[in-house]
Amino acid sequence: MSDKRVRVRFAPSPTGGLHLGGVRTALFNYLFARKNNGDFVLRIEDTDQNRYVEGAEKYIIDCLNWCGITPDESPVNPGQYAPYRQSERKTLYREYAERLVMQGHAYYAFDSAEELDKNRKEIPNFQYGQVYRDTLRNSLSLPQPEVDQLLADHTPHVIRIKIPADQTVSFTDMIRGRVSFETNQLDDKVLLKADGMPTYHLAVVVDDYLMKISHAFRGEEWLPSAPIHLLLWDYLGWKADMPQWAHLPLILKPDGNGKLSKRDGARLGFPVFALDWEGAAGFDGMGFLPEAFVNFLATLGWNDGSGQEIFTMDELVSKFSIDRISKAGAKFDFEKAKWFNAEWIKRSTAETLHPKVKAVLESKGVTIKNDAYLATVIDLIKDRCTLLTDFYPQAAYFFQTPAEYDLAAVKPKWTDEKTAFFKAIIEQVKSTPTIVAADFEATFKALAEEKGLKTGDVMLPFRIMLVGGKFGPHVFDIAALLGRDETVSRIEQALAAFA
RNA sequence: GGCCCGUUCGUCUAGGGGUUAGGACGUUAGAUUUUCAUUCUAGAAACAGGGGUUCGAUUCCCCUACGGGCUACCA
């Protein structure tokens, strides 16, 4: 086992947007694969034709790419275990299901959905299992000739696993340790559906085997069905090749309880998807850096024990280990997610931020003519941005004259002396070839004193003239960046509004 | 209801038989910044409860409580 090549798979079902929990599962798979020089496989589990959502598969792949966790093998980049969509592997599963029937580990069942629903409603704790299966319509209860006839007539039927009585099924989960189940509590799950598609239970076992998966990560919600899978691995004769299981703790709703669902985003005002999905803003559209998103997700249920919180993908790969994954579910905390993003923005260079910031500004109608100028702006303001979208309010005034002023902050205290002061400043600025921040500051203060004004009384108005509001970096740095002519013109324009 | 998993500050977590139970987010108060943010300093804030085991349990065991998951021809 130890010499076996590490191969892991992320196996989502294409039923809609990929949410946080799914991305984290993918991430842990990826980290484990990279750390162990293994393969990271994306397998699309589209066995439920009713829930199939157009575009979901592409969306999943786009999400993984955006996060920087591109699979080594996938439907769009097949390896030697193709195909990677279960719908395209359909014919394969029947053979294994029939084999189980032949060996007595499974059987045909002809009951209709309606009949079963009725039983569930009328019989408390009804389970299609050892207690009731003899009373239902299946190849165990019906005489062989009748079964043959039913089959010959192509009567709709499913194949169910025959759970044995009085056994204890147990295994060692990499996160939880020893876990056991009594087979008497289990029901005879459907393996092959009436439409010929396998259920998750059959497909996951067959494909993990065929694709030589060595370690299987999945959410904790799968723990109760693990014994079914264990039994299947055994009955199919593949026990020695069974992957090691790791059931990941769930990501919970920030308020109340329960696992985080796709609807919580709209309800609570934060993204649950990585990328935008059907009008709902994802972390991307919300202004998150993929590095920050990945970093945040990695620390939701995992830590390296050192107290370090900011990790690059490379660090994550080298430090990741399953025994440091926690057992308990973790509530999603959007505030903490934002903190990670702010940290990542602060630590990123203007160069790496450049294209993303440019896109944000352009989407707001700001035209960027000078990339070097933008780079300087980014360096000046990135410390005050939590989300990429914050660059718009924080940077817009570097590119366009303020559309409106915070008049409440200046008008009540406006005086003719101030008007005179700024007129003098205009002349002063006009007489210099370029604005040098430190020099300008000195001149500004000297002139204020000369006019009998307190520096503080004219600094804020000056800021509002250039910026429009009470925010932004050092005002003289702004003036220097804006340049002589623009500074003069903004003062002139503002003077008209202030007086 | 049944089965399974879990439980350290509000949240994410470290720790582990003897600790002032540590960090981070958030929060509060100061400092710095003639704006705002950053930054810095300080503060409040936790071992679910009950039994064991032990010289000593937050740490190990059991029970209870609470939380979560599953209980489909969905994954």
Side-chain angles (χ1 to χ4, degrees):
Chain A
M1 279 291 260
S2 57
D3 57 345
K4 196 168 159 185
R5 180 171 179 79
V6 168
R7 287 177 56 77
V8 298
R9 83 304 196 265
F10 174 52
S13 134
T15 54
L18 221 211
H19 80 87
L20 283 177
V23 178
R24 192 192 56 173
T25 303
L27 175 63
F28 284 8
N29 268 290
Y30 175 88
L31 296 177
F32 186 76
R34 283 291 157 280
K35 165 121 190 172
N36 295 289
N37 300 312
D39 306 317
F40 172 46
V41 177
L42 172 67
R43 185 173 70 218
I44 298 295
E45 311 229 328
D46 54 350
T47 54
D48 184 352
Q49 293 161 331
N50 301 315
R51 296 211 309 158
Y52 181 80
V53 173
E54 193 65 41
E57 178 188 309
K58 180 181 186 303
Y59 175 86
I60 288 166
I61 292 169
D62 289 346
C63 279
L64 298 183
N65 287 338
W66 181 71
C67 292
I69 53 178
T70 305
D72 301 306
E73 297 166 30
S74 75
V76 295
N77 178 33
Q80 60 172 305
Y81 301 96
Y84 290 82
R85 283 183 201 97
Q86 290 184 328
S87 59
E88 295 170 11
R89 304 168 67 81
K90 181 177 174 182
T91 52
L92 221 140
Y93 306 105
R94 169 145 232 134
E95 172 196 334
Y96 295 104
E98 299 283 359
R99 187 158 117 198
L100 291 167
V101 173
M102 212 89 80
Q103 294 168 157
H105 292 306
Y107 58 92
Y108 302 106
F110 305 94
D111 318 85
S112 70
E114 293 70 33
E115 289 170 324
L116 295 178
D117 280 347
K118 196 169 161 241
N119 282 326
R120 289 197 182 92
K121 218 166 279 174
E122 292 172 358
I123 305 172
N125 294 332
F126 172 82
Q127 284 203 135
Y128 204 124
Q130 37 184 311
V131 178
Y132 293 104
R133 69 179 158 229
D134 290 342
T135 69
L136 297 156
R137 291 165 47 74
N138 54 59
S139 59
L140 259 26
S141 62
L142 270 19
Q144 191 59 44
E146 191 179 339
V147 172
D148 292 342
Q149 189 55 242
L150 252 14
L151 256 18
D153 292 345
H154 298 292
T155 311
H157 65 276
V158 301
I159 292 180
R160 288 179 180 272
I161 182 173
K162 184 183 174 189
I163 298 289
D166 305 324
Q167 285 187 19
T168 301
V169 178
S170 57
F171 70 101
T172 302
D173 185 89
M174 290 188 284
I175 294 171
R176 277 149 228 288
R178 204 78 189 152
V179 184
S180 320
F181 301 84
E182 298 302 322
T183 55
N184 290 347
Q185 303 289 342
L186 271 26
D187 59 342
D188 295 347
K189 289 284 182 227
V190 170
L191 263 21
L192 200 75
K193 302 188 262 189
D195 64 2
M197 279 287 194
T199 59
Y200 173 83
H201 305 298
L202 211 216
V204 73
V205 172
V206 169
D207 287 341
D208 281 353
Y209 170 73
L210 261 19
M211 294 182 172
K212 294 190 161 40
I213 299 304
S214 63
H215 302 262
F217 294 79
R218 55 171 27 166
E220 193 188 345
E221 71 264 28
W222 289 110
L223 204 45
S225 55
I228 309 279
H229 310 323
L230 268 303
L231 251 16
L232 252 19
W233 275 95
D234 187 16
Y235 294 158
L236 258 3
W238 303 331
K239 213 170 181 179
D241 296 315
M242 187 172 73
Q244 285 189 259
W245 300 98
H247 290 90
L248 268 21
L250 265 17
I251 295 179
L252 278 7
K253 299 175 195 291
D255 68 333
N257 302 301
K259 68 173 170 174
L260 188 70
S261 78
K262 294 173 179 178
R263 311 201 110 214
D264 290 324
R267 188 172 62 85
L268 299 164
F270 56 76
V272 293
F273 298 125
L275 265 29
D276 296 358
W277 174 257
E278 288 181 343
F283 280 85
D284 178 33
M286 198 90 174
F288 276 79
L289 254 15
E291 293 87 343
F293 180 61
V294 162
N295 191 160
F296 168 65
L297 245 30
T299 57
L300 211 49
W302 173 86
N303 72 84
D304 77 337
S306 74
Q308 180 178 347
E309 301 215 69
I310 304 298
F311 297 94
T312 61
M313 186 69 92
D314 285 346
E315 288 174 315
L316 250 18
V317 167
S318 69
K319 296 182 179 188
F320 186 73
S321 84
I322 294 174
D323 52 21
R324 294 209 60 91
I325 295 176
S326 43
K327 296 181 178 71
K331 283 186 184 172
F332 170 68
D333 181 357
F334 190 47
E335 291 305 317
K336 185 97 184 217
K338 286 195 287 191
W339 174 78
F340 272 103
N341 204 58
E343 286 300 310
W344 269 95
I345 286 178
K346 274 186 284 190
R347 290 160 197 244
S348 297
T349 61
E351 191 187 358
T352 57
L353 255 15
H354 196 283
K356 293 168 196 282
V357 173
K358 190 170 183 174
V360 165
L361 294 177
E362 286 179 342
S363 75
K364 291 284 189 175
V366 178
T367 7
I368 311 293
K369 292 178 205 132
N370 186 335
D371 286 331
Y373 178 74
L374 208 212
T376 313
V377 169
I378 291 173
D379 271 330
L380 210 51
I381 63 170
K382 63 179 184 171
D383 281 6
R384 35 199 8 113
C385 295
T386 296
L387 298 169
L388 250 17
T389 46
D390 292 338
F391 275 96
Y392 173 64
Q394 293 293 340
Y397 60 86
F398 281 105
F399 301 91
Q400 50 200 27
T401 310
E404 47 188 49
Y405 301 106
D406 184 351
L407 290 175
V410 281
K411 259 205 148 164
K413 288 182 254 174
W414 197 253
T415 60
D416 291 342
E417 285 72 27
K418 290 184 182 175
T419 302
F421 168 77
F422 280 105
K423 283 189 169 158
I425 284 289
I426 290 172
E427 294 316 311
Q428 187 62 248
V429 172
K430 276 182 175 168
S431 70
T432 47
T434 51
I435 295 179
V436 174
D439 297 347
F440 184 32
E441 181 171 356
T443 318
F444 188 93
K445 287 180 176 173
L447 197 58
E449 197 176 337
E450 194 182 311
K451 298 272 181 191
L453 290 163
K454 277 190 268 184
T455 312
D457 291 340
V458 280
M459 284 275 268
L460 186 64
F462 186 39
R463 166 177 298 281
I464 291 173
M465 287 171 167
L466 301 187
V467 175
K470 293 189 280 185
F471 62 93
H474 199 47
V475 70
F476 299 102
D477 287 336
I478 298 173
L481 245 187
L482 249 23
R484 191 187 69 164
D485 297 345
E486 180 64 16
T487 299
V488 166
S489 116
R490 287 194 187 187
I491 296 172
E492 283 172 340
Q493 187 181 318
L495 238 25
F498 290 3

